[in-house]
Amino acid sequence: MLGFSNLDVIALAFFAASWVGYHYVVELGPHAARTLNMRMNLRRARWIHESAHREVRIVDTQVMGGLQNGTAFFASTSLLAIGGTLALLNATDRAVAIFSDLPFVPMTLRSVWELKIIGLVCIFGYAFFKFAWAYRLFNYCVILLGALPPFDSKDEVKMAQAVHETIEMNIAAGRHFNRGQRAFFFALAYLGWFLGPVTFIGFTAAVLVAMYRRQYASDAARVFTYPSQS
């Protein structure tokens, strides 16, 4: 099929299943609440609640600006990655010749190489859209944070509604940022395909294990298991 072997198809299917499966486990699965991302969402909510009771919210806007700047960096990096990957299409013959000389890499057709490059561009394109949208949502968060009623407001319903909107927008921004980073990690796994389908499967499994461990068993995840100090 288009120059791909059956093992290539199996490796690509494993890659896609790993991405979709990981998305389900960390965002929709029965143990999603235990992930580092979901626990941080609770801290996002606590932050906004605390901000609502502060008279001066300059620090909060500065923190939100830092989140925006980090997201903008990754969005710019995605565009650079797309440009660099597209540039490889102009060097297809040279790249195929180089990889063909490697003893552990199977022979690659020009059409297969180009299709693999296009797939990598799609991954970085997906990452760019996620980071760009996250940047926009963090911008909305700044507006919503500025629109919070004064800390001594007597209108509790209005305050509760404003806090809820800010929290949900912040969580949505973080969710799309996480998905963009996830695309970057899986792009690293995808690079293994250029070395062959077996390497592709190995790289995908390694990335999947590393990301799963970070969500459930990393040092950062264990931070939230410690009892609070009184």
Side-chain angles (χ1 to χ4, degrees):
M1 185 181 67
L2 301 176
F4 292 100
S5 66
N6 291 334
L7 191 55
D8 281 311
V9 175
I10 293 173
L12 183 59
F14 176 71
F15 174 80
S18 297
W19 194 332
V20 174
Y22 182 82
H23 169 82
Y24 171 79
V25 169
V26 301
E27 293 193 18
L28 305 172
H31 301 294
R34 294 177 47 238
T35 63
L36 179 60
N37 290 344
M38 293 299 182
R39 291 177 179 182
M40 284 306 303
N41 286 342
L42 297 178
R43 274 61 185 182
R44 292 176 190 270
R46 181 191 298 175
W47 165 31
I48 302 303
H49 278 292
E50 293 291 337
S51 175
H53 294 88
R54 279 193 279 270
E55 181 177 4
V56 180
R57 296 164 182 159
I58 296 177
V59 174
D60 301 295
T61 56
Q62 289 177 335
V63 173
M64 200 73 76
L67 295 175
Q68 278 186 297
N69 292 336
T71 306
F73 168 79
F74 278 100
S76 301
T77 303
S78 300
L79 287 177
L80 293 175
I82 291 172
T85 306
L86 288 174
L88 290 175
L89 290 175
N90 294 325
T92 298
D93 293 331
R94 183 180 179 185
V96 170
I98 292 174
F99 275 81
S100 297
D101 291 337
L102 297 176
F104 51 85
V105 178
M107 292 292 294
T108 302
L109 299 176
R110 177 188 176 92
S111 59
V112 171
W113 173 271
E114 291 177 343
L115 287 173
K116 289 179 180 180
I117 291 295
I118 292 174
L120 189 59
V121 170
C122 291
I123 293 176
F124 286 130
Y126 170 84
F128 169 74
F129 277 106
K130 286 299 178 182
F131 287 129
W133 183 235
Y135 180 85
R136 185 68 170 173
L137 294 182
F138 278 126
N139 184 55
Y140 291 155
C141 283
V142 175
I143 297 173
L144 291 174
L145 189 63
L148 287 176
F151 76 103
D152 56 354
S153 174
K154 304 300 183 182
D155 192 339
E156 296 183 359
V157 175
K158 182 178 179 181
M159 175 65 83
Q161 178 64 27
V163 168
H164 173 75
E165 291 172 352
T166 308
I167 290 173
E168 291 302 314
M169 191 68 70
N170 198 307
I171 290 175
R175 180 167 56 249
H176 286 280
F177 179 84
N178 291 333
R179 291 174 180 175
Q181 278 200 326
R182 188 179 308 159
F184 267 28
F185 291 135
F186 275 104
L188 295 177
Y190 187 91
L191 292 176
W193 202 8
F194 293 93
L195 300 177
V198 176
T199 308
F200 187 18
I201 293 174
F203 276 29
T204 301
V207 168
L208 187 63
V209 170
M211 291 197 302
Y212 185 87
R213 183 183 177 280
R214 287 185 177 183
Q215 289 294 327
Y216 289 99
S218 64
D219 294 339
R222 285 195 294 270
V223 166
F224 301 108
T225 65
Y226 295 139
S228 59
Q229 298 291 332
S230 58

